[in-house]
Amino acid sequence: MTKALFPDVIVNGVTIASAAIAAEAQNHNAPKNKPGLAWRQAARALIVREVLLQEAGKLGVVEAPRSMGDGLVETQEEALIRGVIDAAIKVAPPTEDEVRAVWSKDPDRYRAPPLWEVSHILVAADPSDDEARGKALTKAAALTEQVLADPKCFGRLAKNDSDCSSAQNGGLLGQLSPGDTVPEFEAALRDLSEGEITADPVASRFGFHIVRMDAVAEGAVLPFDAVAPKLRAAMEKNAWVHEVQALTQRLTDAAEIVGIDLKAF
């Protein structure tokens, strides 16, 4: 009999079928030339799920599924796993001294959002039309060459060639903050210094942009009282995640597992 490439896994006598692991593997990223990596990641995820469900049985956990918002509801198994975690893990909120100690290590990390004054030239193109995208990129590249050679012509080219309503203002978009634009446009802004123009067209769902950073106002360092609530919440969440990881590690270490060696990865 030929041995299966990816075998079933048995956890304390309960079989997790290789087909179930293969289905779960679709939710895990791995290089195409390393299918075994995705399989191992999936196997580990299902093993963790199984030991948590077995722990729920040992503890006699009874939990009804809860609404998760937007019409979503937990499955019964998700509710049981939540019950195990809630019963096993109690994370105390960090004290003010602990929060202040983290903040004081590098207060400069905690700043108000920057403010950017930006102009752009947009060469619009339908993202689903490859031919139109190609033509738009060619035009945007030519415009980029012109403005880099003569930055003073930016406003004129914006008025004549930009497909954005900002063309009438010479491409001026005004003041922008993080979250005001699409991610790919914002990423370009974060790389620009004041007075700088993008060296290459910036691709977005709208087409291609030639972007000029007119002014940058770095956000001021925030005082402790302004930072403390979010920092406290982040610290508590990190502590909770650490405890969950420790719980699942204890349960898997104590389990009898056949078909995979979790210590190998």
Side-chain angles (χ1 to χ4, degrees):
M1 181 178 292
T2 302
K3 185 178 180 180
L5 179 60
F6 297 129
D8 294 345
V9 171
I10 302 172
V11 182
N12 293 326
V14 177
T15 298
I16 302 175
S18 60
I21 299 173
E24 172 67 20
Q26 299 176 39
N27 301 320
H28 298 266
N29 295 323
K32 291 183 179 180
N33 62 340
K34 294 184 178 180
L37 179 58
W39 185 89
R40 290 194 297 272
Q41 291 172 342
R44 182 178 181 84
L46 293 182
I47 289 168
V48 168
R49 172 176 166 273
E50 180 58 35
V51 295
L52 286 168
L53 289 173
Q54 290 181 14
E55 186 71 4
K58 291 177 184 178
L59 298 176
V61 172
V62 178
E63 287 285 345
R66 292 179 180 174
S67 171
M68 300 171 66
D70 295 326
L72 299 176
V73 179
E74 288 179 319
T75 65
Q76 184 59 58
E77 290 184 343
E78 288 170 340
L80 291 174
I81 290 172
R82 171 175 51 77
V84 170
I85 292 173
D86 288 347
I89 296 174
K90 306 296 180 185
V91 175
T95 65
E96 180 168 337
D97 285 346
E98 290 170 332
V99 177
R100 188 177 291 277
V102 172
W103 173 82
S104 63
K105 287 180 181 178
D106 188 8
D108 197 58
R109 288 182 55 195
Y110 309 101
R111 289 180 169 272
L115 195 63
W116 302 300
E117 189 166 307
V118 182
S119 297
H120 82 143
I121 300 169
L122 170 65
V123 183
D126 185 337
S128 64
D129 188 332
D130 290 341
E131 183 178 357
R133 294 279 293 185
K135 291 180 179 179
L137 177 57
T138 299
K139 180 179 178 180
L143 290 170
T144 298
E145 286 187 14
Q146 292 183 63
V147 296
L148 291 177
D150 180 12
K152 293 181 180 179
C153 75
F154 191 101
R156 174 175 57 79
L157 291 177
K159 289 181 179 180
N160 295 335
D161 294 282
S162 181
D163 296 317
C164 177
S165 59
S166 64
Q168 59 186 340
N169 296 320
L172 181 62
L173 291 172
Q175 293 182 335
L176 301 175
S177 294
D180 286 346
T181 67
V182 293
E184 51 270 39
F185 192 93
E186 182 173 315
L189 297 182
R190 292 186 179 278
D191 288 338
L192 290 176
S193 301
E194 188 167 312
E196 189 177 2
I197 298 171
T198 47
D200 299 293
V202 177
S204 81
R205 68 198 70 175
F206 302 112
F208 297 91
H209 311 257
I210 299 94
V211 186
R212 185 182 67 193
M213 179 64 70
D214 297 324
V216 179
E218 294 294 344
V221 175
L222 295 170
F224 173 74
D225 289 343
V227 171
K230 287 187 177 180
L231 183 54
R232 181 178 294 107
M235 292 172 64
E236 187 171 352
K237 181 178 179 180
N238 287 340
W240 182 87
V241 169
H242 177 78
E243 290 299 320
V244 171
Q245 291 172 338
L247 170 64
T248 58
Q249 189 64 55
R250 289 196 301 271
L251 294 175
T252 54
D253 286 347
E256 182 182 351
I257 300 171
V258 178
I260 188 173
D261 182 5
L262 290 181
K263 295 180 181 179
F265 66 98

